Amino acid sequence: MTVRFAEAAAAAPVSHCVTASRLEAFCRDVPLDRPTLVLDIDRVEEQFRALRAGLGDAHVHYAVKANPHEAVIARLVALGSRFDCASRGEIALCLGQGARPADISYGNTIKRAADIAWAFAEGIRLFAADADEELGKIAAHAPGADVYIRILVENSEADWPLSRKFGCDARTALRLLDLARNLGLNPRGLSFHVGSQTRRAQMWAPVLDQVAQVWHAARARGHDLDLLDIGGGFPAFYGQEIDAPEAYAAAVRAEVDARFGPVPYLMAEPGRGLVAEAGMIVAEVVLVARKSERDMHRWVYLSIGRFSGLAETEGEAIRYQFLTDRDGDPAGPCILAGPSCDSADVLYEKRPVNLPWSLGAGDRVLIRNTGAYTSTYSSVGFNGFPPLDVIAI
Ligand SMILES: *Cc1c(COP(=O)(O)O)cnc(C)c1O
């Protein structure tokens, strides 16, 4: 156990520590009464510029669900980002911040008919689908719209795979392209998601191979596809080594070009990779306890848990890094849990977390790189604990 923690610490690239410092300095001092996510909007801009530089002429459609804070959306609008939205609420948010309808894709494959009609009336023209019935809804409520078909990909090596729920197989995709055309829609291309937190660019290769097969089969069948949506998957630093964002994006772009050639409308939908490292959660220790005298592990209970923002600790899939004012004191393993009265509210137990022995109730705990999938996963107040507060600096 200790060896692994030492390795994780050694793997931390220096650049991440340096760029986190403004945010970290703020988080160490700001007086806060409840768990709060602090966002450094300049870091979002830095990540956007890096990803865009690596992706070349591909269009970045920010996956809004990763963090829909208005300051994030506003900055991305100012930078010329486009947006991928999953719901009426997300579309309204982006339009409200000044995004143009032409720059918004409605990428959720599961949409209410009324929401399709509303989006179409607002000027949204690009919709995703992976089923016959969905194409029927789009044809009825967004006649003539552009559509792309989401492919189900296998063998994702991501830390947080999105497989199974979305997409259809190759044969179905080809049939849906035909159906879209027959319904008077404009079938423009394909989309997929490699899986969230795909740590290395080379992990994209087998997935791109699968999608390229469908792409070339569709073209051979007479579909003049001009849109490829490569989805998200761009990683954030959680302690395991990742490539720097520009290099990662450039490597993915090269893998795409090698298989698809020039694509008139290439789009990428980073969520986590744009916002995770721009956020830090400020929380505190509520209790340190041992269950018995022989208990090997301390239990450390935080003021934030599975239901108040740390949902991605499910299955211990995403392993956040913690900072305290007592770092440097002798440390040892602990089981880390949230404050609510639900036994599922345990963050890390199979692989305990190393924290200082001197840690006690009231001590501040900072959770690094938590700008993605935290505030949006926070319950409205399970057990009376307030939802994760968010402030932008
Ligand atoms: C969630 C989602 C994304 C963003 O994924 P990340 O791994 O956070 O980059 C992109 N596209 C679609 C369709 C999504 O549902």
Side-chain angles (χ1 to χ4, degrees):
M1 203 44 72
T2 43
V3 173
R4 188 159 53 220
F5 290 123
E7 278 170 0
V14 175
S15 65
H16 287 81
C17 302
V18 172
T19 49
S21 62
R22 179 178 109 101
L23 184 59
E24 190 182 318
F26 181 90
C27 289
R28 283 194 189 275
D29 293 332
V30 61
L32 291 170
D33 199 37
R34 57 188 257 195
T36 301
L37 169 65
V38 182
L39 289 171
D40 180 348
I41 305 300
D42 288 344
R43 281 286 286 129
V44 177
E45 173 164 349
E46 222 175 277
Q47 290 294 111
F48 178 82
R49 291 186 185 283
L51 289 179
R52 186 164 62 178
L55 286 167
D57 62 1
H59 298 282
V60 173
H61 284 239
Y62 170 55
V64 174
K65 75 176 187 290
N67 191 322
H69 193 279
E70 285 185 2
V72 172
I73 306 298
R75 179 68 64 93
L76 289 173
V77 168
L79 290 166
S81 181
R82 302 183 179 196
F83 298 90
D84 183 63
C85 296
S87 63
R88 175 172 172 162
E90 286 186 353
I91 293 170
L93 168 72
C94 292
L95 294 174
Q97 293 301 313
R100 297 182 311 150
D103 292 342
I104 295 174
S105 48
Y106 198 167
N108 193 345
T109 53
I110 306 158
K111 299 175 283 301
R112 291 180 65 233
D115 292 345
I116 294 170
W118 175 84
F120 191 67
E122 291 290 325
I124 310 299
R125 290 293 175 270
L126 186 55
F127 298 82
D130 62 7
D132 296 61
E133 193 173 45
E134 192 71 13
L135 284 176
K137 281 187 279 177
I138 297 170
H141 300 283
D146 294 349
V147 293
Y148 54 95
I149 306 299
R150 176 134 172 201
I151 307 294
L152 179 67
V153 294
E154 283 160 15
N155 307 324
S156 167
E157 293 181 66
D159 287 350
W160 188 263
L162 301 172
S163 50
R164 293 208 311 117
K165 180 169 173 182
F166 304 104
C168 58
D169 72 4
R171 183 192 287 250
T172 305
L174 295 173
R175 194 173 55 67
L176 291 178
L177 288 170
D178 294 347
L179 176 63
R181 191 165 53 193
N182 294 339
L183 289 171
L185 295 166
N186 181 22
R188 288 187 60 185
L190 304 176
S191 75
F192 65 95
H193 196 300
V194 71
S196 202
Q197 186 66 7
T198 293
R199 275 181 289 105
R200 309 312 287 258
Q202 72 251 27
M203 293 174 173
W204 284 64
V207 170
L208 288 170
D209 286 340
Q210 296 167 46
V211 180
Q213 271 192 359
V214 184
W215 179 268
H216 295 296
R219 291 183 69 91
R221 203 175 162 107
H223 291 288
D224 189 17
L225 303 185
D226 75 339
L227 180 153
L228 177 66
D229 171 8
I230 65 171
F234 302 83
F237 181 73
Y238 296 120
Q240 279 185 289
E241 210 179 325
I242 56 168
D243 304 320
E246 182 173 345
Y248 182 102
V252 168
R253 178 65 204 259
E255 299 261 16
V256 169
D257 289 348
R259 289 166 180 80
F260 296 86
V263 175
Y265 197 91
L266 186 60
M267 60 193 267
E269 302 170 334
R272 185 189 307 280
L274 264 180
V275 292
E277 294 182 14
M280 182 173 277
I281 286 175
V282 181
E284 67 181 59
V285 176
V286 178
L287 175 69
V288 180
R290 280 178 193 278
K291 303 293 174 194
S292 75
E293 281 175 17
R294 287 178 298 113
D295 204 350
M296 289 273 294
H297 290 124
R298 287 170 295 168
W299 283 71
V300 173
Y301 301 92
L302 301 178
S303 57
I304 185 171
R306 181 72 56 84
F307 304 106
S308 42
L310 303 182
E312 290 198 312
T313 57
E314 167 74 36
E316 305 194 13
I318 298 294
R319 293 191 66 85
Y320 297 113
Q321 296 181 296
F322 301 87
L323 301 173
T324 75
D325 287 337
R326 300 183 190 279
D327 293 346
D329 288 0
C334 67
I335 298 169
L336 204 59
S340 70
C341 300
D342 188 308
S343 55
D345 193 7
V346 175
L347 307 175
Y348 302 114
E349 180 172 18
K350 283 186 271 189
R351 283 176 57 200
V353 173
N354 232 26
L355 288 176
W357 293 111
S358 53
L359 206 62
D363 285 347
R364 183 167 283 214
V365 173
L366 306 182
I367 316 176
R368 292 184 67 196
N369 297 348
T370 40
Y373 304 117
T374 48
S375 51
T376 35
Y377 273 152
S378 175
S379 75
V380 291
F382 173 56
N383 233 189
F385 294 101
L388 185 60
D389 204 7
V390 187
I391 55 179
I393 60 172

